[in-house]
Amino acid sequence: MSTTPQAYEPEPVSSLRRATLWVSHALAWLLNAYVLLLEIILFLGFILLLFGANPSNSFVEWAYRNLDKAMKPFRGIFEPIQLGTAGNDVAAVVDTSVLFAMIMYGIVLVVLQSLLHWLEDRGRRQDRQDREYERYELQQQTQAAMQQQANAYAAQPLTAPEQTPGVTPPPTP
């Protein structure tokens, strides 16, 4: 009974493809961290606007400056809702554009996390295919070596055992 090679022969994964996957994975993580930072800035700015924080404070000034950068694509979508003034004559505002931006950046974050998960699964699949290919190659090499040994053994002529001078073989019954 002869053994036939497996029908499935996985292809080896090139190092270029593996490097591309790794770079894509790293890029997805960086974008994920950036969007998460944007979400924190938007939330902080929303809270400061809601409570009517004093814009002359250096921290509030920094937060509003970063909020403006994050809000560029979303400014003017909705009108802010004025709630009145706080103790220092600063208007408390519910900026619905900030809420909308938080939702949109949140959607981007979910998409990036899905992409990251997909890339991780693909990388694991590629590693598994690499290992399967290596096992397949090792199996093929082992079978070829065993076949060569069997052929070499079968090719040897059958001869009677050599007799050493001075030694008599045992009698056969």
Side-chain angles (χ1 to χ4, degrees):
M1 185 154 112
S2 67
T3 60
T4 58
Q6 295 176 351
Y8 170 69
E9 293 185 27
E11 296 179 16
V13 177
S14 71
S15 59
L16 177 63
R17 189 173 2 162
R18 184 174 300 273
T20 303
L21 285 172
W22 187 87
V23 168
S24 299
H25 182 77
L27 184 61
W29 266 110
L30 287 173
L31 289 173
N32 194 353
Y34 179 72
V35 171
L36 189 60
L37 181 64
L38 281 176
E39 286 285 346
I40 291 169
I41 288 171
L42 289 168
F43 180 73
L44 181 63
F46 179 77
I47 295 297
L48 291 173
L49 286 171
L50 182 65
F51 292 123
N54 183 3
S56 63
N57 180 289
S58 61
F59 175 74
V60 176
E61 183 182 331
W62 172 84
Y64 284 166
R65 187 173 53 247
N66 287 314
L67 178 65
D68 285 338
K69 289 177 186 175
M71 285 297 297
K72 277 191 181 183
F74 304 103
R75 273 288 165 217
I77 292 179
F78 302 109
E79 285 293 319
I81 301 169
Q82 301 290 330
L83 296 178
T85 59
N88 55 3
D89 295 330
V90 177
V93 176
V94 174
D95 195 344
T96 50
S97 294
V98 174
L99 292 175
F100 182 74
M102 289 173 70
I103 291 169
M104 294 310 294
Y105 282 126
I107 290 170
V108 168
L109 183 65
V110 168
V111 168
L112 287 175
Q113 286 175 340
S114 297
L115 173 68
L116 180 65
H117 183 63
W118 178 79
L119 285 173
E120 286 176 356
D121 285 348
R122 183 177 172 126
R124 281 191 210 110
R125 213 172 323 126
Q126 295 295 336
D127 287 341
R128 189 170 46 250
Q129 283 180 346
D130 276 351
R131 287 190 301 272
E132 286 177 12
Y133 182 77
E134 288 168 1
R135 273 190 294 240
Y136 176 78
E137 285 293 313
L138 182 62
Q139 180 185 14
Q140 293 302 318
Q141 290 171 358
T142 304
Q143 285 179 353
M146 289 174 66
Q147 188 65 40
Q148 282 179 344
Q149 270 186 336
N151 290 343
Y153 184 73
Q156 290 178 353
L158 292 176
T159 59
E162 294 183 15
Q163 292 187 359
T164 311
V167 177
T168 57
T172 55

Short mmCIF file of all heavy atoms in Angstrom, two decimals, residues 1 8 13 22 38 40 42 61 74 93 99 114 129 136 148 168 173:
data_model
loop_
_atom_site.label_atom_id
_atom_site.label_comp_id
_atom_site.label_asym_id
_atom_site.label_seq_id
_atom_site.Cartn_x
_atom_site.Cartn_y
_atom_site.Cartn_z
N MET A 1 0.85 -1.16 0.00
CA MET A 1 0.00 0.00 0.00
C MET A 1 0.90 1.23 0.00
O MET A 1 1.74 1.39 0.87
CB MET A 1 -0.87 -0.02 1.26
CG MET A 1 -1.87 1.08 1.29
SD MET A 1 -3.24 0.58 2.30
CE MET A 1 -3.11 1.64 3.64
N TYR A 8 -3.66 18.83 0.18
CA TYR A 8 -3.46 20.24 0.56
C TYR A 8 -1.97 20.50 0.72
O TYR A 8 -1.31 19.87 1.52
CB TYR A 8 -4.19 20.54 1.86
CG TYR A 8 -3.85 21.87 2.45
CD1 TYR A 8 -4.25 23.04 1.83
CD2 TYR A 8 -3.12 21.97 3.63
CE1 TYR A 8 -3.94 24.28 2.35
CE2 TYR A 8 -2.81 23.20 4.16
CZ TYR A 8 -3.22 24.35 3.53
OH TYR A 8 -2.92 25.57 4.05
N VAL A 13 4.69 31.44 3.58
CA VAL A 13 4.39 32.87 3.66
C VAL A 13 5.68 33.64 3.48
O VAL A 13 6.68 33.37 4.14
CB VAL A 13 3.75 33.21 5.01
CG1 VAL A 13 3.49 34.69 5.13
CG2 VAL A 13 2.47 32.44 5.18
N TRP A 22 2.82 43.04 9.90
CA TRP A 22 3.29 43.62 11.16
C TRP A 22 3.18 45.15 11.13
O TRP A 22 2.75 45.76 12.10
CB TRP A 22 4.74 43.20 11.41
CG TRP A 22 5.22 43.62 12.76
CD1 TRP A 22 5.08 42.94 13.92
CD2 TRP A 22 5.91 44.83 13.08
NE1 TRP A 22 5.63 43.65 14.95
CE2 TRP A 22 6.14 44.83 14.46
CE3 TRP A 22 6.33 45.93 12.34
CZ2 TRP A 22 6.78 45.86 15.11
CZ3 TRP A 22 6.97 46.95 13.00
CH2 TRP A 22 7.19 46.91 14.37
N LEU A 38 -8.06 61.63 21.05
CA LEU A 38 -9.05 62.61 20.59
C LEU A 38 -10.34 62.52 21.40
O LEU A 38 -10.93 63.54 21.75
CB LEU A 38 -9.36 62.38 19.10
CG LEU A 38 -8.38 62.91 18.09
CD1 LEU A 38 -8.80 62.49 16.69
CD2 LEU A 38 -8.24 64.41 18.18
N ILE A 40 -10.67 61.57 24.47
CA ILE A 40 -10.42 62.14 25.80
C ILE A 40 -10.44 63.67 25.73
O ILE A 40 -11.04 64.33 26.59
CB ILE A 40 -9.08 61.61 26.37
CG1 ILE A 40 -9.22 60.13 26.69
CG2 ILE A 40 -8.66 62.39 27.60
CD1 ILE A 40 -7.92 59.43 27.01
N LEU A 42 -11.97 65.56 23.51
CA LEU A 42 -13.34 65.99 23.26
C LEU A 42 -14.19 65.92 24.52
O LEU A 42 -14.97 66.84 24.82
CB LEU A 42 -13.98 65.13 22.15
CG LEU A 42 -13.46 65.37 20.74
CD1 LEU A 42 -13.96 64.28 19.81
CD2 LEU A 42 -13.89 66.75 20.25
N GLU A 61 -7.28 76.88 28.68
CA GLU A 61 -6.85 77.41 27.39
C GLU A 61 -6.24 76.31 26.53
O GLU A 61 -6.54 76.19 25.35
CB GLU A 61 -5.83 78.53 27.61
CG GLU A 61 -5.35 79.19 26.35
CD GLU A 61 -4.31 80.26 26.67
OE1 GLU A 61 -4.34 80.86 27.76
OE2 GLU A 61 -3.44 80.46 25.80
N PHE A 74 -15.99 69.20 12.31
CA PHE A 74 -17.36 69.13 12.83
C PHE A 74 -17.93 70.47 13.28
O PHE A 74 -19.08 70.54 13.71
CB PHE A 74 -17.41 68.15 14.02
CG PHE A 74 -16.91 66.78 13.68
CD1 PHE A 74 -15.65 66.37 14.08
CD2 PHE A 74 -17.68 65.92 12.93
CE1 PHE A 74 -15.18 65.11 13.76
CE2 PHE A 74 -17.22 64.66 12.61
CZ PHE A 74 -15.96 64.25 13.02
N VAL A 93 -22.24 75.96 28.25
CA VAL A 93 -22.74 75.60 26.92
C VAL A 93 -22.78 74.08 26.77
O VAL A 93 -21.88 73.38 27.22
CB VAL A 93 -21.80 76.18 25.82
CG1 VAL A 93 -22.22 75.74 24.45
CG2 VAL A 93 -21.73 77.68 25.92
N LEU A 99 -20.50 66.54 20.96
CA LEU A 99 -21.10 65.21 21.15
C LEU A 99 -21.11 64.43 19.84
O LEU A 99 -20.80 63.23 19.82
CB LEU A 99 -22.51 65.34 21.72
CG LEU A 99 -22.62 65.86 23.15
CD1 LEU A 99 -24.08 66.03 23.54
CD2 LEU A 99 -21.92 64.92 24.11
N SER A 114 -11.78 46.79 15.00
CA SER A 114 -12.17 45.64 14.19
C SER A 114 -11.06 45.30 13.20
O SER A 114 -10.75 44.12 12.98
CB SER A 114 -13.46 45.93 13.43
OG SER A 114 -14.52 46.15 14.32
N GLN A 129 -0.29 28.52 8.95
CA GLN A 129 0.03 27.99 7.63
C GLN A 129 1.53 27.76 7.49
O GLN A 129 1.95 26.77 6.87
CB GLN A 129 -0.45 28.94 6.54
CG GLN A 129 -1.94 28.87 6.31
CD GLN A 129 -2.39 29.83 5.22
OE1 GLN A 129 -1.66 30.73 4.81
NE2 GLN A 129 -3.61 29.66 4.77
N TYR A 136 4.71 19.77 6.67
CA TYR A 136 4.50 19.07 5.41
C TYR A 136 5.83 18.82 4.72
O TYR A 136 6.09 17.70 4.25
CB TYR A 136 3.57 19.89 4.51
CG TYR A 136 3.37 19.30 3.15
CD1 TYR A 136 2.53 18.22 2.95
CD2 TYR A 136 4.05 19.84 2.05
CE1 TYR A 136 2.35 17.68 1.69
CE2 TYR A 136 3.88 19.29 0.79
CZ TYR A 136 3.03 18.21 0.61
OH TYR A 136 2.87 17.68 -0.63
N GLN A 148 14.28 6.17 -0.08
CA GLN A 148 15.64 5.95 -0.59
C GLN A 148 16.31 4.80 0.17
O GLN A 148 16.99 3.97 -0.43
CB GLN A 148 16.48 7.21 -0.46
CG GLN A 148 16.20 8.25 -1.51
CD GLN A 148 17.05 9.50 -1.31
OE1 GLN A 148 17.62 9.71 -0.24
NE2 GLN A 148 17.12 10.32 -2.35
N THR A 168 33.26 -22.53 12.46
CA THR A 168 32.30 -23.36 11.77
C THR A 168 30.90 -22.87 12.14
O THR A 168 30.62 -22.59 13.30
CB THR A 168 32.45 -24.84 12.18
OG1 THR A 168 32.32 -24.94 13.55
CG2 THR A 168 33.75 -25.40 11.69
N PRO A 173 19.08 -27.51 11.93
CA PRO A 173 18.26 -28.68 12.26
C PRO A 173 17.40 -29.16 11.15
O PRO A 173 17.17 -28.76 10.14
CB PRO A 173 17.41 -28.23 13.42
CG PRO A 173 17.51 -26.76 13.52
CD PRO A 173 18.66 -26.35 12.66
#
